[in-house]
Amino acid sequence: MNSSEEIAVSGMTAGRSAVRMGPAELVQAAAMARRFYLEGKSKIQIAEEFGVSRFKVARVLETALERDLVRIEIRVPAELDAERSDALRARYGLRHAVVVESPAEIDESPDPENLGEVAADLLGELVNEGDVLGLAWGRSTIHMAAALDRLPPCTVVQLTGVYDAGTAERGSVEAVRRAAQVSGGDAHPIYAPMLLPDAATASALRNQTGIARAFEYFDKVTVACVSIGSWEPGISTVHDMLSDEERAHYASLGVAAEMSAHLFDSEGRRVGRDLGERCITVKTDQLRRIPEVVAIAGGARKAAAIDAVLRSGLVTSLVTDTSAADVLMTSGPTPRSALNRSDPDGP
């Protein structure tokens, strides 16, 4: 062995333990580590190859880590913040929380488009063949649908009416069509406004053939994608559709957030239930029964609204950004687990 090899071996043995490993041990440990970490072989397979017990293989792999012969690095794409994601998931008891970096430039608009791109990738993981995917109205869900490039074969149904029937081709109807096109499944869009003048008109529309057919799928939805709005202009489409008098009325009830035309106070309790009677939308008890409900919402301006909706127990997973996450991590007492999906308002 030449001097350069001796230096290399000496460096590799300079770990946390003072016990020196000989060159044969180093070579064997390196080979076992390669089989285990890079080639994906089991400890039993490695033991059979080297003629030792699997317990020895386990000890060698542990020693390789202790001596820095193996260094494990956890790397995620630069736009994902793994630490914040895990902390947010734990705080709210979510199934999945994905936090992306907020745009470097100051942007007052909520829900950056990159949230939709990340949510599209997440849906690619969550949706299985034969599922029924539900999409609610929202700018973020529209961005998500536009970014979809893979989905298993599934049925796609629209969960809410559109913000404006005249913009259906650029809104949630087109999002449903796009998702169905990617998946190769059936599409069930809703060609109707989200908000109607009164409950009677809304009821009549729900009974129309095409809309009723979409509604029949609501109880079959297995994965849903929703948006969240704050109760302020430009951040909630429902807020923007109402008259000044109606906005003031619901504000007096303490509304802090809106999701799929349902209103929530800061504790996650539903308020203004009469509004839902005028809307073409999935019911909250139906949302609560959906196994996976993914909310897409970001920006510091939406943080309080996101917190309120997460406290409702209707959402199981969240895609957000660092601006919102930093506020959420310090927003009052720790909430109950989002996976405890009992109605906070009671029966």
Side-chain angles (χ1 to χ4, degrees):
M1 182 182 296
N2 61 35
S3 59
S4 62
E5 289 174 331
E6 289 178 349
I7 293 172
V9 170
S10 176
M12 292 169 70
T13 59
R16 300 170 199 160
S17 173
V19 179
R20 181 183 178 87
M21 291 180 72
E25 291 176 301
L26 282 170
V27 170
Q28 185 184 68
M32 289 183 176
R34 177 174 293 277
R35 304 289 194 280
F36 186 74
Y37 292 107
L38 298 183
E39 299 176 10
K41 292 189 175 181
S42 69
K43 293 175 184 176
I44 293 176
Q45 290 174 314
I46 298 170
E48 290 175 351
E49 178 182 349
F50 287 87
V52 298
S53 71
R54 61 185 176 88
F55 301 105
K56 179 173 182 180
V57 172
R59 287 196 300 271
V60 170
L61 292 174
E62 182 179 351
T63 302
L65 284 172
E66 290 177 352
R67 307 295 175 81
D68 292 331
L69 181 60
V70 173
R71 296 183 183 181
I72 298 175
E73 293 184 4
I74 300 173
R75 293 184 178 181
V76 295
E79 70 270 16
L80 298 183
D81 191 311
E83 186 174 351
R84 283 184 174 92
S85 297
D86 188 55
L88 198 61
R89 180 202 57 75
R91 173 173 169 78
Y92 285 92
L94 294 163
R95 187 170 291 121
H96 304 284
V98 182
V99 178
V100 306
E101 289 290 339
S102 299
E105 66 277 6
I106 298 176
D107 185 359
E108 291 300 322
S109 64
D111 302 338
E113 289 194 22
N114 64 335
L115 292 186
E117 296 168 2
V118 173
D121 287 340
L122 179 61
L123 282 189
E125 292 183 64
L126 299 180
V127 176
N128 296 307
E129 183 173 351
D131 276 348
V132 176
L133 171 63
L135 301 182
W137 156 260
R139 297 180 186 91
S140 56
T141 53
I142 291 169
H143 292 155
M144 180 277 299
L148 281 172
D149 59 9
R150 63 185 177 98
L151 270 182
C154 64
T155 299
V156 186
V157 61
Q158 193 170 323
L159 296 179
T160 62
V162 298
Y163 173 46
D164 181 344
T167 63
E169 291 301 314
R170 302 190 301 273
S172 44
V173 169
E174 181 56 31
V176 169
R177 287 175 173 169
R178 166 67 182 166
Q181 180 184 31
V182 172
S183 74
D186 294 333
H188 295 277
I190 294 177
Y191 296 96
M194 180 190 298
L195 180 65
L196 282 303
D198 52 63
T201 305
S203 178
L205 272 178
R206 292 188 199 104
N207 290 324
Q208 288 190 358
T209 303
I211 298 173
R213 187 177 299 115
F215 268 56
E216 289 174 358
Y217 278 90
F218 286 3
D219 289 326
K220 303 174 185 177
V221 173
T222 49
V223 180
C225 191
V226 300
S227 296
I228 296 172
S230 301
W231 198 245
E232 57 180 302
I235 313 295
S236 165
T237 52
V238 172
H239 176 282
D240 293 345
M241 286 189 283
L242 297 173
S243 67
D244 290 341
E245 183 179 354
E246 288 171 324
R247 291 170 192 156
H249 165 67
Y250 292 118
S252 72
L253 300 179
V255 60
E258 174 263 317
M259 180 184 69
S260 302
H262 300 293
L263 309 181
F264 305 87
D265 68 11
S266 60
E267 297 299 320
R269 296 182 294 255
R270 282 189 64 202
V271 295
R273 294 178 183 235
D274 59 306
L275 181 63
E277 297 174 4
R278 296 169 50 193
C279 293
I280 302 297
T281 185
V282 62
K283 296 178 180 179
T284 54
D285 61 343
Q286 290 173 314
L287 279 172
R288 203 178 302 279
R289 292 194 295 269
I290 296 173
E292 186 74 77
V293 179
V294 180
I296 314 169
R301 290 176 65 185
K302 274 196 178 181
I306 297 169
D307 177 67
V309 171
L310 291 182
R311 290 174 185 271
S312 75
L314 294 175
V315 169
T316 60
S317 297
L318 175 69
V319 177
T320 190
D321 64 358
T322 51
S323 296
D326 287 344
V327 178
L328 289 169
M329 290 305 299
T330 57
S331 58
T334 302
R336 65 175 187 165
S337 170
L339 299 181
N340 173 13
R341 307 187 72 188
S342 59
D343 190 342
D345 299 339

